[in-house]
Amino acid sequence: MKLNKSRVAIVACPDYDPARVEEALKKGVDLLGGLGQFVKSGEKVLIKPNLLMSKEPSKVVTTHPSVFRGVIRLFQNAGMDICYGDSPAVGSTRAVAKKAGLLDIAEELNVPEADMVTRVDVPFPNGNLVKNFIIAKGVVDSDALISVSKLKTHALTRITGAVKNQFGCIPGLLKSEFHGKMTDDQVFSRMLVDLTLLLKPRLFIMDAIIGMEGNGPASGTPRNIGLILVSDDPIALDATVCYLIGLKPELVPTIIWGEKLGLGNYHDIEWIGESPDQWIQQGFKVNRSTGSTARTGSSKFTPLARNFIIPKPVIDPDKCTRCGQCVDICPVRPKALAFPAENNRKIPEYNYSDCIRCYCCHETCPTGAIHIKVPLAGRLIHSK
Ligand code: SF4
Ligand code: SF4
């Protein structure tokens, strides 16, 4: 368990003006003692943004290009050898980076793309839950990982932030296999904590200039926040997000497990820079009900009871383009979501008895056609 106070730098940044963002990033890192605290000259640095899916920057699904640019310049100015990479669930790194506005910046600043496709077996005997991961070669080949996440809500883990960002270091569809095997959000969160303990990112930077509330991480609503957050403790950083958006950190399983397993601390945080009290986001839309986001304890229920209690994904036929990405990503066998055999021009249909509530379909849908519905019994059980 980490005993020292964890420091989180909070820096105001009102918009994505590249010069202002660069200045804010530099200030955040300097408040923590400067880049030299985290990387050494001659090390190969991998910058890992959030490239969840192919969306333009205005949709706030991915790390904003100005933040990406600012982080690159910070490391280039220090003479570091850098590359970038993330493995999206659907599509190539290059295609998603292009749409998100990151590829143009990487090319302009001569930052190569890391190999996020080749799989490397990495034993982790000290893992609490997972003793062996398959990691993208580009991550394994780097000396120092820099995690550049985005402040967003998430159907499974409530928020996606500093800890969840490392999931993109697992290549492609292997990610959904984890969802298929780990059918409880507590177990899934322990895996994410193990993964972060294994990869040991040196620094966690969060783009909280415009975040996402509501139906995140892919289809929520942009929310102006105006901050850059920086820390070397991902648990303290995610707990700071909770403080800002009015969410109890105890409701975020990655935070609970992260502290238990020694990844960081959320009880003793020193905030430097801005006082978070000035930046509280009143009415931020995030699920605050106890246990009802997802699969907490879902394995305790029979499939029938689960249908009446655990939140379930539902498709809005008016928004569905029948692209089939949700069907492709579904990790269970037989799939819990499929086009009707008799008419594949209809929208996909769920078999909720087989659905493990991983919400990969919700996360992957490119049109935001899938939302998470909390059944009435679930609302009654989990309401405060
Ligand atoms: S629900 Fe979304 S992902 Fe699934 S077929 Fe419709 S548009 Fe595609
Ligand atoms: S239908 Fe959606 S939530 Fe259910 S198991 Fe498949 S991907 Fe996961």
Side-chain angles (χ1 to χ4, degrees):
M1 176 84 54
K2 193 169 179 170
L3 294 176
N4 294 337
K5 234 176 209 275
S6 294
R7 295 181 307 155
V8 178
I10 303 176
V11 183
C13 188
D15 55 37
Y16 285 112
D17 174 80
R20 271 196 286 274
V21 172
E22 192 176 329
E23 193 183 330
L25 287 164
K26 183 171 184 326
K27 185 174 176 187
V29 173
D30 285 349
L31 282 168
L32 295 173
L35 264 194
Q37 298 289 315
F38 309 105
V39 285
K40 294 189 203 78
S41 169
E43 287 189 308
K44 184 169 182 176
V45 175
L46 173 69
I47 294 170
K48 175 6 189 127
N50 182 334
L51 287 174
L52 174 65
M53 67 196 307
S54 201
K55 292 278 183 183
E56 55 270 31
S58 61
K59 301 291 187 201
V60 302
V61 170
T62 47
T63 302
H64 193 278
S66 285
V67 174
F68 184 59
R69 173 193 285 275
V71 173
I72 289 172
R73 284 184 51 84
L74 205 59
F75 283 86
Q76 283 185 334
N77 289 343
M80 305 299 300
D81 173 18
I82 59 174
C83 59
Y84 81 99
D86 186 20
S87 175
V90 178
S92 69
T93 304
R94 188 176 177 82
V96 177
K98 173 80 183 158
K99 185 88 172 183
L102 272 55
L103 182 63
D104 288 350
I105 288 169
E107 288 179 350
E108 176 198 331
L109 299 177
N110 290 315
V111 180
E113 182 187 319
D115 177 356
M116 300 301 285
V117 176
T118 306
R119 300 173 176 194
V120 180
D121 212 19
V122 182
F124 188 38
N126 294 332
N128 173 265
L129 179 73
V130 183
K131 306 291 184 189
N132 201 86
F133 278 99
I134 294 173
I135 305 292
K137 185 171 185 301
V139 180
V140 176
D141 287 349
S142 67
D143 300 311
L145 178 63
I146 306 298
S147 176
V148 189
S149 59
K150 180 98 182 160
L151 190 160
K152 296 188 293 180
T153 50
H154 196 281
L156 180 59
T157 51
R158 295 181 195 251
I159 58 167
T160 180
V163 176
K164 179 86 175 40
N165 197 39
Q166 279 61 257
F167 201 35
C169 295
I170 293 175
L173 285 173
L174 270 180
K175 285 189 279 296
S176 58
E177 286 181 22
F178 272 101
H179 281 288
K181 285 182 205 150
M182 298 175 172
T183 58
D184 184 294
D185 60 349
Q186 302 295 319
V187 178
F188 186 73
S189 295
R190 279 167 64 196
M191 179 277 293
L192 289 173
V193 169
D194 265 350
L195 178 62
T196 305
L197 284 166
L198 169 67
L199 299 178
K200 292 187 181 64
R202 303 280 181 85
L203 197 59
F204 299 86
I205 297 172
M206 181 176 282
D207 168 8
I209 297 174
I210 302 181
M212 177 185 284
E213 61 180 342
N215 196 27
S219 310
T221 309
R223 170 84 180 224
N224 286 317
I225 298 171
L227 293 174
I228 292 277
L229 308 176
V230 188
S231 183
D232 62 350
D233 179 340
I235 304 306
L237 196 154
D238 284 349
T240 300
V241 170
C242 289
Y243 188 82
L244 290 167
I245 66 175
L247 175 68
K248 287 181 185 164
E250 291 79 12
L251 292 176
V252 180
T254 48
I255 292 180
I256 297 296
W257 284 105
E259 187 169 279
K260 263 189 202 162
L261 301 179
L263 176 60
N265 130 68
Y266 73 95
H267 281 101
D268 197 10
I269 302 174
E270 179 185 358
W271 286 312
I272 46 180
E274 298 285 323
S275 162
D277 294 331
Q278 309 302 314
W279 297 88
I280 300 289
Q281 302 296 303
Q282 299 293 346
F284 190 94
K285 292 188 181 69
V286 59
N287 190 326
R288 296 184 179 83
S289 58
T290 51
S292 75
T293 40
R295 298 176 293 176
T296 300
S298 67
S299 49
K300 289 187 289 199
F301 300 111
T302 64
L304 184 64
R306 200 189 305 153
N307 287 345
F308 290 103
I309 295 168
I310 307 291
K312 57 185 179 186
V314 175
I315 297 177
D316 177 347
D318 294 336
K319 290 187 182 169
C320 177
T321 59
R322 293 139 181 88
C323 70
Q325 283 190 21
C326 54
V327 176
D328 292 344
I329 200 90
C330 180
V332 296
R333 299 291 179 271
K335 284 184 184 280
L337 174 67
F339 286 104
E342 75 283 3
N343 186 350
N344 66 4
R345 298 185 68 182
K346 283 190 178 172
I347 65 167
E349 291 176 351
Y350 285 98
N351 177 349
Y352 289 116
S353 297
D354 290 339
C355 172
I356 59 168
R357 275 39 168 199
C358 67
Y359 308 114
C360 290
C361 50
H362 167 259
E363 185 168 325
T364 311
C365 175
T367 65
I370 302 177
H371 65 276
I372 305 300
K373 183 176 176 190
V374 184
L376 178 61
R379 287 204 292 276
L380 294 174
I381 287 173
H382 296 303
S383 63
K384 288 187 281 183

